[in-house]
Amino acid sequence: MSLLLRYMHLQDIPDVMAIEHRSFTPPWSARSYAYEVSQSTYSHMVVLEQTAPLAPAVNPIRRAWSRLMHHPTHGQTLVAYGGLWFINGEGHISTIASHPDLRRSGFGELVFAAMIHRSIVLGAQYMVLEVRVSNLGAQALYRKYGFDIHGVKPNYYQQNHEDAYDMRRPLASDPAYVRDFHVRYRALLAAHGVNDQYSAGRPEPE
Ligand SMILES: CC(C)(COP(=O)(O)OP(=O)(O)OC[C@H]1O[C@@H](n2cnc3c(N)ncnc32)[C@H](O)[C@@H]1OP(=O)(O)O)[C@@H](O)C(=O)NCCC(=O)NCCS
């Protein structure tokens, strides 16, 4: 099994939407994702893809036939995704989710850390995000990377009038954090065997 971090493409949207609908109320629309991926100049959308060998064909004749017909021997699964807006020196996490059946496997953290790295590469002064006051799991992830509560946005979520915490992390003004983050990020990628084609790269035109 191997893991790949890469920019989100339009073709990923059906898989993203399957996770989105199980993760958020209300979900973003497929059209919003299409805009973020193909039109927004601020957006840096990321996916984490897991590649696993498909079950080998038991029948040797079928196996030979598959090889002859160039049928794929590996299947890709989208296991997490995230959105980053980079505007005027601010890295803003717009969304993040991991596959509901694969939570607590480190996938959300990989995507989150990749967006921090992307923000550093882009030259962000600081990062910001909003999170439901009830979403303790996500807050634990953000605190793990040094995000603190900067303020409360009352009634931020219209569907149930829940407040949001405005969480932030200075980057450029804290070179020690950035230095430590680089070491930590390299170790994280190595521990999960991740190929990162996202965080240091340039957006590819759709
Ligand atoms: C938030 C979310 C992306 C976390 O993804 P994940 O793949 O489950 O998280 P990871 O396995 O990478 O966990 C990384 C860290 O996050 C924290 N964490 C994640 N889920 C947690 C939970 N349910 N309870 C406590 N801590 C949690 C822990 O600090 C964890 O580190 P640890 O394993 O060393 O304890 C995932 O729960 C999700 O998709 N939730 C629904 C969508 C959502 O709420 N997005 C956030 C919107 S602001």
Side-chain angles (χ1 to χ4, degrees):
M1 268 201 292
S2 63
L3 289 166
L4 171 67
L5 279 163
R6 61 166 174 78
Y7 266 86
M8 189 185 287
H9 301 304
L10 286 172
Q11 301 90 292
D12 296 316
I13 292 176
D15 291 338
V16 166
M17 291 309 294
I19 298 175
E20 178 83 11
H21 278 280
R22 293 177 64 189
S23 302
F24 295 105
T25 313
W28 276 13
S29 65
R31 182 187 285 205
S32 299
Y33 276 101
Y35 173 80
E36 296 292 332
V37 167
S38 61
Q39 280 177 269
S40 169
T41 50
Y42 301 123
S43 252
H44 300 262
M45 307 296 288
V46 57
V47 297
L48 178 66
E49 186 175 76
Q50 190 175 49
T51 303
L54 294 175
V58 269
N59 178 334
I61 297 171
R62 266 184 88 155
R63 198 183 308 139
W65 175 252
S66 291
R67 216 173 287 136
L68 199 68
M69 300 307 289
H70 302 293
H71 284 168
T73 53
H74 287 73
Q76 271 93 28
T77 310
L78 201 151
V79 294
Y81 61 89
L84 169 72
W85 294 320
F86 179 68
I87 308 171
N88 293 335
E90 176 185 287
H92 192 138
I93 303 287
S94 59
T95 190
I96 179 169
S98 60
H99 195 295
D101 300 337
L102 301 168
R103 298 230 165 111
R104 300 309 302 263
S105 309
F107 296 149
E109 179 169 353
L110 279 166
V111 162
F112 187 63
M115 291 192 287
I116 299 175
H117 192 238
R118 185 82 190 111
S119 299
I120 292 170
V121 169
L122 290 165
Q125 300 293 311
Y126 67 100
M127 294 191 71
V128 61
L129 58 84
E130 288 87 22
V131 58
R132 287 179 187 272
V133 294
S134 63
N135 195 345
L136 301 181
Q139 288 167 32
L141 170 60
Y142 307 149
R143 283 183 202 283
K144 191 170 175 180
Y145 281 83
F147 282 63
D148 287 323
I149 294 171
H150 182 78
V152 178
K153 297 187 174 181
N155 287 318
Y156 186 78
Y157 299 96
Q158 290 172 1
Q159 143 269 347
N160 68 345
H161 306 290
E162 187 172 349
D163 297 349
Y165 287 136
D166 170 343
M167 295 186 77
R168 295 184 181 213
R169 173 69 237 173
L171 295 178
S173 62
D174 191 348
Y177 173 87
V178 172
R179 242 186 346 261
D180 291 350
F181 175 81
H182 282 303
V183 174
R184 189 173 178 182
Y185 187 57
R186 268 198 302 275
L188 187 69
L189 292 183
H192 288 271
V194 180
N195 175 7
D196 178 10
Q197 294 177 2
Y198 165 76
S199 70
R202 303 213 158 270
E204 299 144 24
E206 283 286 335

Coordinates of all heavy atoms in Angstrom, one line a residue, residues 19-20 22-24 79-81 93-100 102-112 129-132 135-145 157 192, ligand 1:
I19 N -17.5 11.4 0.4 CA -17.0 11.6 1.8 C -17.7 12.8 2.4 O -18.1 12.9 3.5 CB -15.4 11.8 1.8 CG1 -14.8 10.5 1.3 CG2 -14.9 12.2 3.2 CD1 -13.3 10.6 1.1
E20 N -17.8 13.9 1.5 CA -18.4 15.2 2.0 C -19.8 15.0 2.6 O -20.1 15.5 3.7 CB -18.5 16.1 0.7 CG -19.1 17.4 1.0 CD -18.1 18.5 1.6 OE1 -16.9 18.2 1.6 OE2 -18.6 19.5 2.0
R22 N -21.0 12.4 4.0 CA -21.0 11.7 5.3 C -20.3 12.5 6.3 O -20.2 12.0 7.5 CB -20.4 10.3 5.1 CG -21.2 9.4 4.2 CD -20.5 8.1 3.9 NE -20.3 7.3 5.2 CZ -19.6 6.2 5.3 NH1 -19.0 5.7 4.2 NH2 -19.5 5.6 6.4
S23 N -19.7 13.7 6.0 CA -18.9 14.4 6.9 C -19.5 15.7 7.4 O -19.1 16.2 8.5 CB -17.5 14.6 6.3 OG -16.9 13.4 6.0
F24 N -20.3 16.4 6.5 CA -20.7 17.8 6.8 C -22.2 17.9 6.6 O -22.8 17.4 5.7 CB -20.0 18.8 5.9 CG -18.5 18.8 6.1 CD1 -17.6 18.2 5.2 CD2 -18.0 19.5 7.2 CE1 -16.3 18.3 5.3 CE2 -16.6 19.5 7.4 CZ -15.7 18.9 6.5
V79 N -8.7 8.9 0.3 CA -9.0 8.6 1.8 C -9.1 9.9 2.6 O -9.6 9.9 3.7 CB -7.8 7.7 2.4 CG1 -7.9 6.3 1.8 CG2 -6.5 8.3 2.2
A80 N -8.7 11.0 2.0 CA -8.9 12.3 2.7 C -8.7 13.5 1.7 O -8.1 13.3 0.7 CB -7.9 12.5 3.9
Y81 N -9.2 14.6 2.1 CA -9.0 15.8 1.2 C -9.1 17.1 2.1 O -9.5 17.1 3.2 CB -10.0 15.9 0.1 CG -11.4 16.0 0.6 CD1 -12.0 17.2 0.8 CD2 -12.2 14.8 0.8 CE1 -13.3 17.3 1.3 CE2 -13.5 14.9 1.3 CZ -14.1 16.1 1.5 OH -15.4 16.2 2.0
I93 N -7.6 27.5 6.0 CA -8.1 26.2 5.8 C -9.6 26.3 5.5 O -10.4 26.7 6.4 CB -7.9 25.2 7.0 CG1 -6.4 25.2 7.4 CG2 -8.5 23.8 6.8 CD1 -5.5 24.4 6.5
S94 N -10.1 25.9 4.3 CA -11.5 26.1 4.0 C -12.3 24.8 4.3 O -13.5 24.9 4.5 CB -11.6 26.4 2.5 OG -11.1 25.4 1.7
T95 N -11.6 23.7 4.2 CA -12.3 22.4 4.5 C -11.2 21.3 4.7 O -10.1 21.4 4.3 CB -13.2 22.0 3.4 OG1 -14.0 20.9 3.8 CG2 -12.5 21.6 2.1
I96 N -11.7 20.3 5.5 CA -10.8 19.1 5.6 C -11.7 17.9 6.1 O -12.6 18.1 6.9 CB -9.7 19.3 6.6 CG1 -8.8 18.0 6.8 CG2 -10.2 19.8 8.0 CD1 -7.5 18.2 7.5
A97 N -11.5 16.8 5.5 CA -12.2 15.6 5.9 C -11.4 14.3 5.6 O -10.7 14.3 4.6 CB -13.6 15.5 5.3
S98 N -11.6 13.3 6.4 CA -11.0 12.0 6.0 C -12.2 11.0 5.9 O -13.3 11.3 6.3 CB -10.0 11.5 7.1 OG -10.7 11.4 8.3
H99 N -11.9 9.9 5.2 CA -13.0 8.9 4.9 C -13.6 8.4 6.2 O -12.8 8.0 7.1 CB -12.4 7.8 4.1 CG -13.5 6.9 3.5 ND1 -14.4 6.2 4.3 CD2 -13.8 6.7 2.2 CE1 -15.2 5.5 3.5 NE2 -14.8 5.8 2.2
P100 N -14.9 8.5 6.4 CA -15.5 8.1 7.7 C -15.2 6.7 8.2 O -15.1 6.5 9.4 CB -17.0 8.2 7.4 CG -17.2 9.1 6.2 CD -15.9 8.9 5.4
L102 N -12.3 5.4 7.8 CA -10.9 5.3 8.0 C -10.3 6.3 8.9 O -9.2 6.7 8.8 CB -10.2 5.4 6.6 CG -10.6 4.3 5.5 CD1 -10.0 4.7 4.2 CD2 -10.0 3.0 5.9
R103 N -11.2 6.8 9.8 CA -10.8 7.9 10.7 C -9.8 7.3 11.7 O -9.8 6.1 12.0 CB -12.0 8.5 11.4 CG -12.9 9.2 10.3 CD -13.3 10.6 10.7 NE -13.9 11.2 9.4 CZ -15.1 11.5 9.3 NH1 -16.0 11.3 10.3 NH2 -15.5 12.0 8.1
R104 N -9.0 8.2 12.3 CA -8.0 7.9 13.3 C -6.9 7.0 12.7 O -6.4 6.1 13.4 CB -8.6 7.3 14.6 CG -9.6 8.1 15.3 CD -9.2 9.5 15.6 NE -8.0 9.7 16.4 CZ -7.9 9.9 17.7 NH1 -9.1 9.9 18.4 NH2 -6.8 10.1 18.3
S105 N -6.7 7.1 11.5 CA -5.6 6.4 10.8 C -4.4 7.3 10.4 O -3.5 6.9 9.8 CB -6.1 5.7 9.5 OG -7.3 5.0 9.8
G106 N -4.6 8.6 10.8 CA -3.5 9.5 10.5 C -3.7 10.3 9.1 O -2.9 11.1 8.8
F107 N -4.8 10.0 8.4 CA -5.0 10.6 7.1 C -5.4 12.0 7.2 O -4.9 12.9 6.4 CB -6.1 9.8 6.3 CG -5.7 8.4 6.0 CD1 -6.6 7.4 5.9 CD2 -4.3 8.0 5.8 CE1 -6.3 6.0 5.6 CE2 -4.0 6.7 5.6 CZ -4.9 5.7 5.5
G108 N -6.2 12.4 8.1 CA -6.6 13.8 8.3 C -5.4 14.6 8.7 O -5.2 15.7 8.2
E109 N -4.5 14.1 9.5 CA -3.3 14.8 9.9 C -2.4 15.0 8.7 O -1.8 16.1 8.6 CB -2.6 14.0 11.0 CG -1.3 14.7 11.5 CD -0.7 14.0 12.7 OE1 -1.3 13.1 13.3 OE2 0.4 14.5 13.1
L110 N -2.3 14.0 7.9 CA -1.4 14.1 6.7 C -1.9 15.3 5.8 O -1.0 16.1 5.4 CB -1.3 12.8 5.9 CG -0.4 11.8 6.4 CD1 -0.7 10.4 5.8 CD2 1.1 12.2 6.2
V111 N -3.2 15.3 5.6 CA -3.7 16.4 4.7 C -3.5 17.8 5.4 O -3.2 18.8 4.8 CB -5.2 16.1 4.4 CG1 -5.9 17.3 3.9 CG2 -5.3 15.0 3.4
F112 N -3.8 17.8 6.7 CA -3.7 19.1 7.4 C -2.2 19.6 7.4 O -2.0 20.8 7.1 CB -4.2 18.9 8.9 CG -4.2 20.2 9.7 CD1 -5.1 21.2 9.3 CD2 -3.4 20.3 10.8 CE1 -5.2 22.4 10.0 CE2 -3.5 21.5 11.5 CZ -4.4 22.5 11.1
L129 N -8.5 29.2 10.6 CA -9.6 28.3 10.2 C -10.7 28.5 11.2 O -10.6 29.1 12.3 CB -9.1 26.8 10.3 CG -8.6 26.3 11.6 CD1 -9.7 25.8 12.6 CD2 -7.6 25.2 11.4
E130 N -11.9 28.0 10.8 CA -13.1 28.1 11.7 C -13.4 26.6 12.0 O -13.4 25.8 11.1 CB -14.3 28.8 11.0 CG -14.1 30.3 10.9 CD -13.4 30.7 9.7 OE1 -13.4 29.9 8.7 OE2 -12.9 31.8 9.6
V131 N -13.9 26.4 13.2 CA -14.3 25.0 13.6 C -15.4 25.1 14.6 O -15.5 26.0 15.4 CB -13.1 24.2 14.2 CG1 -12.5 24.9 15.4 CG2 -13.4 22.8 14.6
R132 N -16.4 24.2 14.5 CA -17.5 24.2 15.4 C -17.0 24.0 16.8 O -16.1 23.2 17.1 CB -18.5 23.0 15.1 CG -19.3 23.2 13.8 CD -20.2 21.9 13.6 NE -20.8 22.0 12.3 CZ -22.0 22.6 12.1 NH1 -22.7 23.1 13.2 NH2 -22.6 22.7 10.9
N135 N -16.8 20.5 17.9 CA -16.0 19.5 17.1 C -14.6 19.3 17.8 O -13.6 19.8 17.4 CB -15.8 20.1 15.7 CG -15.3 19.0 14.7 OD1 -14.8 17.9 15.2 ND2 -15.4 19.2 13.4
L136 N -14.7 18.6 18.9 CA -13.5 18.4 19.7 C -12.4 17.6 19.0 O -11.2 17.9 19.3 CB -13.9 17.8 21.1 CG -14.9 18.5 21.9 CD1 -15.2 17.8 23.2 CD2 -14.5 19.9 22.2
G137 N -12.8 16.7 18.2 CA -11.8 15.9 17.5 C -10.9 16.7 16.5 O -9.7 16.7 16.6
A138 N -11.6 17.6 15.7 CA -10.9 18.4 14.8 C -10.0 19.5 15.6 O -8.9 19.7 15.3 CB -11.9 19.2 13.9
Q139 N -10.6 20.0 16.7 CA -9.8 20.9 17.5 C -8.6 20.3 18.0 O -7.5 21.0 18.1 CB -10.7 21.5 18.6 CG -11.8 22.4 18.2 CD -12.8 22.6 19.3 OE1 -12.5 22.6 20.5 NE2 -14.1 22.8 18.9
A140 N -8.7 19.0 18.4 CA -7.5 18.3 18.9 C -6.4 18.3 17.8 O -5.2 18.4 18.1 CB -7.8 16.9 19.4
L141 N -6.8 18.0 16.6 CA -5.9 18.0 15.5 C -5.2 19.3 15.3 O -4.0 19.4 15.2 CB -6.6 17.5 14.2 CG -5.8 17.7 12.9 CD1 -4.6 16.8 12.9 CD2 -6.7 17.3 11.7
Y142 N -6.0 20.4 15.4 CA -5.4 21.7 15.1 C -4.5 22.1 16.3 O -3.4 22.7 16.0 CB -6.6 22.8 14.9 CG -7.6 22.3 13.9 CD1 -8.9 22.7 14.0 CD2 -7.2 21.6 12.8 CE1 -9.9 22.3 13.1 CE2 -8.2 21.2 11.9 CZ -9.5 21.6 12.0 OH -10.4 21.2 11.1
R143 N -4.9 21.8 17.5 CA -4.0 22.1 18.6 C -2.7 21.4 18.6 O -1.6 21.9 19.0 CB -4.7 21.7 20.0 CG -5.8 22.7 20.4 CD -6.3 22.3 21.7 NE -7.6 22.8 22.0 CZ -7.9 24.1 22.3 NH1 -6.9 24.9 22.5 NH2 -9.1 24.5 22.5
K144 N -2.8 20.1 18.0 CA -1.5 19.3 17.9 C -0.5 20.1 17.0 O 0.7 19.8 17.2 CB -1.9 18.0 17.2 CG -0.8 16.9 17.2 CD -1.4 15.6 16.8 CE -0.3 14.6 16.7 NZ -0.8 13.2 16.3
Y145 N -1.0 20.9 16.1 CA -0.1 21.7 15.3 C 0.0 23.2 15.7 O 0.4 24.0 14.9 CB -0.5 21.6 13.8 CG 0.0 20.2 13.3 CD1 -0.7 19.1 13.5 CD2 1.3 20.1 12.7 CE1 -0.2 17.8 13.1 CE2 1.8 18.9 12.3 CZ 1.0 17.7 12.5 OH 1.5 16.5 12.1
Y157 N -22.5 28.9 12.1 CA -23.1 27.8 11.2 C -24.6 28.0 11.2 O -25.3 27.8 12.3 CB -22.7 26.5 11.8 CG -21.2 26.3 11.8 CD1 -20.4 26.5 12.9 CD2 -20.6 25.9 10.6 CE1 -19.1 26.4 12.9 CE2 -19.2 25.7 10.6 CZ -18.4 26.0 11.7 OH -17.1 25.9 11.6
H192 N 4.6 7.4 7.2 CA 3.5 6.8 6.4 C 3.9 6.5 5.0 O 3.0 6.0 4.2 CB 2.3 7.9 6.4 CG 1.6 8.1 7.7 ND1 0.5 7.3 8.0 CD2 1.8 8.9 8.7 CE1 0.1 7.7 9.2 NE2 0.9 8.7 9.6
Ligands
LIG1 C1 -11.3 16.1 11.7 C2 -10.9 14.9 10.9 C3 -10.4 15.4 9.5 C4 -9.7 14.2 11.5 O1 -9.2 13.2 10.6 P1 -8.7 11.8 11.1 O2 -8.1 11.1 9.9 O3 -9.7 11.0 11.9 O4 -7.5 12.2 12.1 P2 -6.1 11.6 12.4 O5 -6.2 10.1 12.5 O6 -5.2 12.1 11.3 O7 -5.8 12.2 13.8 C5 -4.7 13.1 14.0 C6 -4.9 13.8 15.3 O8 -6.2 14.5 15.4 C7 -6.7 14.4 16.7 N1 -8.0 13.7 16.6 C8 -8.6 13.3 15.4 N2 -9.8 12.8 15.6 C9 -10.0 12.9 17.0 C10 -11.0 12.5 17.9 N3 -12.2 11.9 17.4 N4 -10.9 12.7 19.2 C11 -9.8 13.2 19.7 N5 -8.7 13.6 18.9 C12 -8.8 13.4 17.6 C13 -5.7 13.6 17.5 O9 -4.9 14.6 18.1 C14 -4.9 12.9 16.5 O10 -3.6 12.6 16.9 P3 -3.3 11.2 17.6 O11 -3.7 10.1 16.7 O12 -1.8 11.3 17.8 O13 -4.1 11.3 18.9 C15 -12.0 13.9 10.7 O14 -12.5 13.5 12.0 C16 -13.2 14.3 9.8 O15 -13.1 14.2 8.6 N6 -14.3 14.8 10.5 C17 -15.5 15.2 9.8 C18 -15.2 16.5 9.0 C19 -14.8 17.6 10.0 O16 -15.3 17.8 11.1 N7 -13.8 18.4 9.5 C20 -13.3 19.5 10.3 C21 -14.1 20.8 10.0 S1 -13.4 22.2 10.9

